[in-house]
């Protein structure tokens, strides 16, 4: 072959290679544009799903605010009937989920992910699906961070604060992990099978590998370590999140890289803004603030803050920073009262154990403190004719707070009623709330409060001076008796098999629980019942006592088994021709 012919052949080969490369580059850019477009559709679908909850919340808010939910207006009857039938189904507990509604929401989330994972995929290209998995992982990572925000806009727009979004946050995290594993494994297999393993050593791919392992370890820490050492889990979670953000920013295509960087900037900005806002509030609330700590019997600790939080309401929770106990940590606790601001904390491990130990060694000590919040979305008890409060163990921190807030806001001619049911293990736990029990019994609205305290465990040496009556056997106990350790419990209502919940071990993780010391003894009598309450009967009787144009709120806090009972019983009480029933279970998660 002549030199001219050789040169012509080489030029043709080079041109063909260039054309192939250009064609491949064009295909990659078209694929990326498609993935970005599909991810936009996915984000819009999630926004629409959130919009449904926002719309439903504000429609109910308007109906309640204008009193239309009580009106027998026939125009609104079909809407009322439909919503009540739906809520009767959705509120019930289902295996693996807090309620049927939450299960349906999770299925909708999974369905959207499946739909957009396979939408507009070119199956003739083996890496198209793999690339889509990577983009879906990126989109879900932004959603994970959004659901983790303490200052989430959803707390204002819907009835869900961050702690009630925590389970969905974890589900979105698991989904992101699955996408990341599929993305990494399929790409690795493709390059290895095509003899291009050297690509796995490139910087952009190395960043992706680090990202994948950081995400995997973060999820595993949440699944395993979170149960046994939350503080260690939290530190690992934050450190790995920072690694994830950095490596996600580095793991993006060389062509049009800005599109891949947008998600990194968004999730980083969301997280940083939330942290900055919380830090500023901690700094502000630390000025001229002090905390007084008191050890309570049976592992409890009371904290009284000198400076209350703005917008704080009993029943909500806040994050407390006590540098003398843990300099780099803040922990969530329920607000029992805010004049002064009081917290009662049960002892578990880590921070609460160290705090209780300090209170034992330094009773009444003054510590530097700050708090930020408040957090939590609660139904307004003033919108209801009757409020049924059910607590198990130190879950009473929530119900005492809610009752106190309601009594403070009730007018002199208020016709509202409160049923307060508290199941507690023993006398020592009662003393945590001596002052609050006295406040309930001595309040001007005390005749409107049906207070029932049940002792589920009795010491062998307990006095058993029973007072008999035709309906039940109970004992009248004074606040002074509580202070002195003298208590005369008696057999109360028969225990329902459905209400045999366990101790505080399963109690909500959100907060360590709160209350105030009693400075003086009181002679206010307190009815005490022996044995577990018949929660189901109590709730049903409360609902039956109302007419169909009235509203009842059933609020509970305690072990998971107790809140499950309350949720299921409340759901069964929702009917088209009965009173409006609202249920709120205070717990960490849904």
């Amino acid at each position: 072959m002549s030199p001219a012919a050789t040169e012509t052949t080489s030029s043709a080969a080079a041109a063909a290679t260039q054309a192939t490369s250009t064609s491949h580059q064009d295909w990659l850019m078209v694929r990326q544009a498609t993935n970005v477009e599909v991810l936009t559709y996915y984000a819009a679908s999630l926004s629409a799903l959130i919009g449904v909850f926002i719309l439903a919340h504000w429609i109910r808010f308007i109906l309640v605010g204008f009193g239309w939910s009580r009106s027998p207006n026939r125009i609104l009857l079909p809407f009322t009937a439909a919503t009540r039938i739906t809520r009767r189904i959705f509120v019930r507990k289902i295996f693996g989920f807090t309620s049927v509604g939450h299960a349906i929401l999770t299925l909708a989330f999974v369905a959207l992910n499946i739909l957009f994972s396979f939408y507009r995929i070119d199956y003739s290209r083996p890496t198209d699906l793999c690339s889509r998995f990577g983009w879906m992982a990126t989109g879900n990572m932004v959603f994970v961070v959004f659901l983790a925000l303490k200052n989430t806009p959803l707390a204002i727009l819907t009835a869900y604060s961050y702690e009630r979004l925590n389970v969905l946050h974890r589900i979105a995290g698991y989904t992101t992990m699955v996408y990341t594993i599929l993305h990494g494994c399929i790409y690795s297999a493709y390059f290895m099978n095509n003899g291009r393993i050297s690509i796995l050593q490139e910087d952009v791919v190395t960043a992706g590998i680090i990202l994948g392992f950081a995400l995997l370890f973060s999820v595993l820490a949440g699944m395993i370590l979170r149960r046994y050492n939350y503080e260690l889990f939290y530190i690992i979670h934050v450190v790995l999140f920072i690694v994830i953000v950095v490596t996600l920013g580095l793991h993006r295509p060389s062509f049009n890289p800005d599109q891949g960087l947008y998600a990194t900037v968004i999730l980083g900005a969301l997280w940083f803004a939330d942290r900055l806002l919380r830090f500023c509030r901690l700094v502000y609330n630390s000025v001229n603030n002090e905390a007084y700590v008191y050890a309570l019997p049976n592992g409890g600790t009371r904290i009284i803050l000198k400076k209350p939080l703005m917008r704080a309401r009993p029943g909500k929770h806040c994050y407390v920073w006590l540098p003398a106990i843990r300099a780099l940590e803040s922990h969530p606790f329920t607000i029992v009262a805010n004049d002064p601001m009081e917290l009662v904390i049960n002892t578990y491990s880590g921070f609460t154990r160290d705090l209780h130990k300090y209170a034992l060694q330094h009773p009444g000590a003054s510590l530097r403190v700050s708090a930020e919040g408040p957090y939590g979305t609660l139904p307004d008890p003033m919108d209801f004719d009757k409020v049924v409060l059910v607590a198990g163990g130190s879950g009473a921190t929530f119900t005492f707070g809610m009752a106190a807030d309601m009594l403070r806001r009730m007018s002199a001619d208020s016709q509202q009623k409160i049923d307060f049911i508290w199941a507690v293990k023993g006398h020592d736990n009662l003393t945590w709330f001596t002052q609050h029990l006295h406040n309930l019994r001595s309040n001007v609205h005390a005749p409107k409060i049906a207070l029932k305290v049940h002792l589920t465990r009795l010491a062998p040496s307990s006095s058993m001076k029973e007072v008999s009556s035709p309906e039940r056997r109970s004992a009248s106990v004074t606040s002074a008796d509580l202070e002195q350790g003298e208590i005369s419990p008696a057999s109360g209502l028969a225990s329902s098999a459905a209400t045999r919940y366990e101790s505080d071990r399963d109690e909500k993780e959100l907060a360590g629980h709160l209350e105030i010391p009693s400075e003086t003894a009181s002679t206010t009598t307190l009815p005490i019942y022996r044995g577990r309450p018949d929660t189901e009967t109590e709730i049903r009787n409360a609902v039956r006592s109302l007419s169909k144009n009235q509203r009842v709120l059933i609020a509970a806090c305690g072990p998971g088994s107790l809140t499950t009972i309350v949720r299921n019983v409340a759901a069964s009480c929702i009917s088209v021709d009965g009173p409006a029933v609202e249920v709120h279970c205070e717990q960490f998660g849904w």
Side-chain angles (χ1 to χ4, degrees):
M1 184 178 294
S2 65
T6 301
E7 184 176 348
T8 301
T9 303
S10 299
S11 299
T17 301
Q18 180 65 29
T20 302
S21 176
T22 302
S23 175
H24 181 71
Q25 197 78 355
D26 291 342
W27 166 71
L28 289 177
M29 296 193 69
V30 169
R31 185 182 71 176
Q32 178 169 320
T34 301
N35 285 333
V36 170
E37 184 179 353
V38 170
L39 198 62
T40 303
Y41 294 156
Y42 174 60
S45 300
L46 288 179
S47 300
L49 187 61
I50 295 172
V52 171
F53 283 86
I54 294 174
L55 184 63
H57 169 70
W58 285 100
I59 288 176
R60 292 192 67 196
F61 180 82
I62 293 172
L63 290 177
V64 172
F66 285 92
W68 294 341
S69 62
R70 302 173 186 269
S71 173
N73 192 326
R74 293 188 177 183
I75 297 177
L76 295 176
L77 184 59
F79 175 79
T80 302
T83 56
R84 291 191 181 184
I85 292 172
T86 302
R87 291 184 65 248
R88 182 183 176 94
I89 298 171
F90 282 18
V91 168
R92 290 183 178 275
K93 166 77 175 177
I94 188 174
F95 179 76
F97 298 91
T98 304
S99 70
V100 174
H102 297 138
I104 293 175
L105 178 61
T106 301
L107 289 176
F109 172 74
V110 173
L112 286 177
N113 275 274
I114 294 175
L115 171 64
F116 289 106
S117 293
F118 298 96
Y119 177 61
R120 291 176 60 182
I121 291 292
D122 183 359
Y123 292 100
S124 65
R125 303 278 190 170
T127 58
D128 253 28
L129 186 59
C130 179
S131 176
R132 177 65 56 79
F133 287 159
W135 281 94
M136 291 298 293
T138 302
N140 275 306
M141 191 65 209
V142 176
F143 193 48
V144 167
V145 174
F146 176 74
L147 293 173
L149 298 177
K150 297 294 187 294
N151 298 283
T152 173
L154 295 182
I156 301 174
L157 299 175
T158 70
Y160 292 94
S161 182
Y162 81 92
E163 77 281 359
R164 301 177 71 79
L165 298 170
N166 184 263
V167 173
L168 187 56
H169 162 75
R170 298 203 297 266
I171 291 172
Y174 301 152
T175 305
T176 304
M177 183 190 69
V178 171
Y179 275 129
T180 302
I181 291 174
L182 291 174
H183 174 75
C185 290
I186 296 174
Y187 255 138
S188 297
Y190 172 78
F191 289 131
M192 292 173 67
N193 291 336
N194 286 273
R196 301 169 60 190
I197 194 172
S198 59
I199 290 181
L200 301 179
Q201 299 175 353
E202 294 180 0
D203 291 344
V204 65
V205 179
T206 301
I209 294 172
I210 296 173
L211 165 62
F213 277 105
L215 182 60
L216 176 62
F217 290 143
S218 181
V219 171
L220 290 178
M223 296 173 65
I224 302 172
L225 186 60
R226 183 175 179 271
R227 298 172 180 268
Y228 302 104
N229 192 324
Y230 185 86
E231 293 163 351
L232 179 59
F233 152 74
Y234 186 78
I235 293 172
I236 293 175
H237 205 54
V238 171
V239 171
L240 290 178
F241 173 76
I242 295 173
V243 173
I244 289 170
V245 172
V246 172
T247 52
L248 180 61
L250 296 174
H251 183 69
R252 62 185 193 275
S254 57
F255 51 89
N256 203 0
D258 290 345
Q259 288 185 328
L261 191 60
Y262 292 152
T264 307
V265 172
I266 291 172
L267 67 90
L270 285 174
W271 184 83
F272 179 76
D274 186 62
R275 292 281 165 172
L276 180 61
L277 180 59
R278 295 181 63 197
F279 176 76
C280 291
R281 285 201 297 227
L282 275 176
V283 172
Y284 174 78
N285 291 321
S286 67
V287 178
N288 297 324
N289 205 355
E290 292 179 312
Y292 304 94
V293 295
Y294 303 88
L296 299 173
N298 204 26
T301 308
R302 176 191 304 120
I303 301 179
I304 301 178
L305 276 72
K306 175 183 176 181
K307 183 178 175 180
L309 278 176
M310 294 177 58
R311 301 178 295 105
R313 276 180 53 191
K316 291 196 172 189
H317 68 277
C318 64
Y319 277 78
V320 177
W321 176 61
L322 287 166
I325 308 301
R326 296 288 174 87
L328 300 178
E329 298 177 9
S330 63
H331 293 261
F333 301 109
T334 305
I335 301 169
V336 179
N338 56 357
D339 187 24
M341 185 168 165
E342 307 168 24
L343 314 172
V344 172
I345 302 166
N346 202 3
T347 298
Y348 295 101
S349 61
F351 175 83
T352 56
R353 179 189 59 209
D354 293 346
L355 175 62
H356 183 68
K357 182 179 178 181
Y358 184 91
L360 285 172
Q361 296 172 348
H362 309 87
S366 173
L367 297 175
R368 182 187 176 194
V369 69
S370 185
E372 65 99 8
Y375 296 108
T377 50
L378 308 176
D380 189 348
M382 306 312 291
D383 292 333
F384 299 87
D385 300 282
K386 173 171 278 191
V387 175
V388 181
L389 301 173
V390 185
S394 55
T397 54
F398 167 74
T399 53
F400 272 115
M402 201 164 186
D405 180 57
M406 188 175 177
L407 291 173
R408 180 183 60 83
R409 299 165 62 195
M410 286 171 64
S411 63
D413 58 348
S414 175
Q415 299 300 312
Q416 291 178 293
K417 306 285 187 180
I418 301 175
D419 286 0
F420 193 107
I421 305 164
W422 181 26
V424 62
K425 286 187 287 188
H427 164 263
D428 285 346
N429 300 90
L430 277 178
T431 61
W432 293 13
F433 298 93
T434 302
Q435 186 62 50
H436 294 284
L437 288 167
H438 169 62
N439 292 343
L440 292 183
R441 300 292 290 174
S442 61
N443 190 278
V444 65
H445 295 294
K448 301 170 185 175
I449 306 172
L451 176 62
K452 295 182 179 179
V453 179
H454 291 255
L455 290 184
T456 60
R457 298 181 188 177
L458 299 178
S461 59
S462 294
S463 172
M464 302 298 289
K465 301 174 184 177
E466 299 177 354
V467 181
S468 299
S469 74
E471 297 179 357
R472 65 191 179 196
R473 295 156 71 197
S474 63
S476 294
V477 179
T478 68
S479 295
D481 293 332
L482 294 178
E483 295 289 353
Q484 298 165 10
E486 298 174 1
I487 183 169
S488 302
S491 58
L493 299 173
S495 171
S496 167
T499 60
R500 295 183 183 177
Y501 41 86
E502 295 299 325
S503 66
D504 295 335
R505 188 185 314 167
D506 299 323
E507 203 158 46
K508 66 164 191 162
E509 302 168 359
L510 163 66
H513 314 275
L514 345 165
E515 94 72 66
I516 257 190
S518 177
E519 298 299 334
T520 60
S522 168
T523 59
T524 303
T525 59
L526 176 67
I528 300 290
Y529 300 91
R530 184 173 62 195
R532 298 178 176 89
D534 189 344
T535 309
E536 180 175 347
T537 300
E538 296 283 359
I539 293 175
R540 291 190 185 281
N541 288 340
V543 175
R544 289 180 187 137
S545 68
L546 300 177
S547 68
K548 66 178 182 179
N549 294 327
Q550 293 182 297
R551 306 184 75 232
V552 57
L553 169 64
I554 303 168
C557 182
S561 49
L562 171 62
T563 55
T564 295
I565 293 166
V566 171
R567 184 178 289 277
N568 288 342
V569 174
S572 68
C573 291
I574 299 174
S575 62
V576 176
D577 57 351
V581 178
E582 183 82 17
V583 59
H584 176 88
C585 293
E586 186 71 7
Q587 58 196 45
F588 192 67
W590 278 335

